[in-house]
């Protein structure tokens, strides 16, 4: 843990960044260098390129190495799109979530977070279907892997991370419901963080968060990170895991309240962790690169919320789903290779 005075100084600096980000809408997305450590990840002067536009709400990107393409969700459009260089973004899977939902009850019927399992299948946090699904990329055949805990249906599965043993860690806030926690569809008493074990058993990992969202494990899988998209208490939590993957008491890694209050667009949302432990996480103001101790290195800004990200092209690029656009940022060769 950082000393208190260090934390206070850090919070003030982050609030200043959020003020700058919220006070203007850059003509083009950009990288703001905060510390010299960013230079080993991104060549100075490199800026993001816009690769797709016209999306209702871009989410959950994942790079598919076998095909050399990016998949990303558009939850309100109930669509997954595929992007390939030279071909642009085209529809890939519709419906991506649940078909025939009542818009008075279900706000986002489509998929949200995406990932690949160890066999190359597409895993979907199905917001509208309230489940974790697997889709065979060759046949588009869908299998529901989990849709209940303790006999009750999930809320609206949001994001997921696949561990080395095949476990799927995922979050289940009520964002897919039109009425949130007050929805008549809500069966779970909590907005949980869960783990689906390789044998199919589902365990509740954390049931005390108001709005669990993005989720990731550290490279050694001894730390669990969870973003909390709570307007009143936006933050990123961290949990130490024992050898069996059981979490200890959570603690706040990054308090984003000052950043939000200063006008930074968005909330803590999706995240990824690089091979060296660097966190790339959505915060008010954009997508932040920071150390495992929450020391900021850089901020990617687009003038709007950036919901999620994914590494691709053998670690040579970072893809970002940024409101109605998708961005690609070239990374320094070798950092993620």
């Amino acid at each position: 843990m950082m000393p208190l005075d260090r934390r206070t100084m850090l919070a003030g600096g982050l609030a200043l960044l959020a003020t700058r980000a919220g006070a203007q809408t850059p003509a083009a997305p950009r990288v703001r260098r905060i510390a010299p450590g960013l230079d080993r990840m991104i060549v100075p002067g490199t800026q993001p390129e816009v690769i797709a536009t016209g999306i209702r709400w871009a989410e959950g990107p994942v790079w598919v190495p076998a095909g050399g393409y990016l998949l990303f969700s558009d939850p309100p459009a109930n669509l997954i799109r595929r992007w390939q260089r030279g071909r642009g973004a085209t529809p890939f899977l519709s419906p991506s979530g649940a078909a025939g939902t009542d818009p008075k009850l279900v706000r986002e019927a489509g998929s949200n977070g995406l990932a690949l399992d160890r066999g190359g299948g597409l895993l979907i946090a199905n917001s509208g279907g309230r489940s974790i699904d697997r889709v065979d990329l060759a046949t588009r055949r869908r299998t529901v892997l989990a849709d209940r805990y303790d006999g009750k249906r999930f809320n609206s599965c949001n994001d997921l991370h696949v561990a080395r043993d095949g476990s799927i860690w995922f979050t289940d806030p009520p964002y897919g419901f039109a009425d949130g926690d007050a929805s008549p569809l809500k069966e779970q008493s909590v907005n949980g963080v869960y783990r689906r074990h390789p044998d199919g058993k589902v365990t509740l990992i954390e049931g005390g968060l108001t709005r669990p969202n993005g989720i990731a494990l550290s490279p050694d899988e001894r730390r669990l990170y969870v973003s909390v998209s709570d307007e009143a208490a936006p933050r990123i939590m961290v949990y130490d895991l024992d050898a069996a993957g059981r979490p200890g008491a959570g603690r706040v890694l990054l308090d984003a309240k000052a950043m939000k209050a200063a006008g930074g667009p968005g909330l803590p949302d999706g995240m990824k962790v690089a091979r060296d432990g660097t966190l790339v996480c959505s915060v008010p103001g954009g997508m932040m690169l920071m150390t495992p101790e929450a020391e900021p290195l850089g901020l990617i800004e687009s003038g709007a919320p950036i919901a999620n990200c994914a590494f691709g092209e053998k670690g040579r690029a970072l893809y970002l789903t940024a409101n109605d656009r998708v961005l690609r940022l070239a990374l320094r060769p070798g950092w993620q290779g």
Side-chain angles (χ1 to χ4, degrees):
M1 300 291 287
M2 287 182 285
L4 181 60
D5 59 339
R6 177 66 173 163
R7 276 194 176 276
T8 302
M9 292 170 60
L10 181 58
L14 292 176
L16 178 60
L17 283 171
T19 302
R20 290 173 178 170
Q24 59 181 326
T25 302
R30 61 178 180 174
V31 177
R32 184 189 296 276
R33 181 180 183 267
I34 301 172
L38 185 71
D39 296 347
R40 66 184 177 86
M41 308 166 186
I42 301 169
V43 175
T46 304
Q47 302 298 345
E49 60 177 313
V50 178
I51 61 170
T53 59
I55 302 147
R56 289 177 62 182
W57 176 250
E59 258 288 6
V62 65
W63 181 259
V64 182
Y69 57 83
L70 182 80
L71 295 176
F72 62 92
S73 295
D74 188 343
N78 207 348
L79 179 66
I80 291 176
R81 291 182 174 89
R82 174 170 59 188
W83 177 88
Q84 261 181 312
R85 188 167 291 281
R87 298 183 181 180
T90 56
F92 178 80
L93 185 64
S94 178
S96 62
T101 59
D102 184 348
K104 294 180 181 178
L105 296 174
V106 177
R107 185 173 68 94
E108 293 184 345
S111 61
N112 200 300
L114 306 175
L116 298 180
D117 66 14
R118 294 182 301 170
L122 178 66
L123 298 176
I124 296 176
N126 186 341
S127 178
R130 305 164 66 182
S131 59
I132 300 297
D133 303 345
R134 184 186 191 275
V135 172
D136 185 301
L137 287 174
T139 65
R140 314 290 173 94
R141 183 171 179 265
R142 186 190 297 254
T143 303
V144 175
L145 300 182
D147 63 357
R148 284 170 170 80
Y149 172 71
D150 199 23
K152 299 176 182 177
R153 294 195 67 187
F154 294 128
N155 301 319
S156 51
C157 300
N158 187 277
D159 209 354
L160 68 171
H161 176 98
V162 182
R164 285 192 293 269
D165 69 354
S167 294
I168 304 171
W169 300 68
F170 63 99
T171 57
D172 187 42
Y175 283 134
F177 296 148
D179 297 320
D181 286 323
S183 173
L185 298 178
K186 194 176 193 323
E187 297 181 19
Q188 294 293 337
S189 61
V190 301
N191 298 318
V193 179
Y194 297 91
R195 179 185 182 187
R196 182 192 183 274
H197 299 260
D199 63 2
K201 178 183 177 182
V202 176
T203 302
L204 177 64
I205 298 297
E206 167 66 273
L209 303 177
T210 51
R211 292 293 185 270
N213 199 319
I215 186 168
L217 294 174
S218 61
D220 62 4
E221 301 192 342
R222 299 303 300 271
R223 273 184 157 193
L224 170 69
Y225 301 102
V226 181
S227 293
V228 182
S229 301
D230 188 322
E231 291 272 358
R235 63 199 186 276
I236 296 175
M237 300 292 295
V238 60
Y239 303 80
D240 293 321
L241 304 177
D242 65 18
R246 293 184 293 257
R251 61 187 186 276
V252 177
L253 178 70
L254 177 71
D255 186 341
K257 190 181 295 184
M259 301 174 72
K260 180 62 179 174
L267 290 163
D269 200 326
M271 68 171 79
K272 296 295 183 292
V273 180
R275 292 178 183 176
D276 66 357
T278 300
L279 279 78
V280 187
C281 46
S282 181
V283 298
M287 187 68 66
M288 179 168 284
L289 289 89
M290 66 184 190
T291 71
E293 292 73 39
E295 301 234 15
L297 303 171
L299 183 69
I300 303 166
E301 300 172 323
S302 70
I306 301 180
N308 213 329
C309 64
F311 294 109
E313 302 176 39
K314 297 182 178 179
R316 294 191 294 269
L318 179 69
Y319 289 93
L320 305 106
T321 45
N323 196 28
D324 61 349
R325 299 182 288 176
V326 178
L327 315 177
R328 178 189 180 275
L329 176 65
L331 300 175
R332 185 180 286 277
W335 175 50
Q336 277 287 98

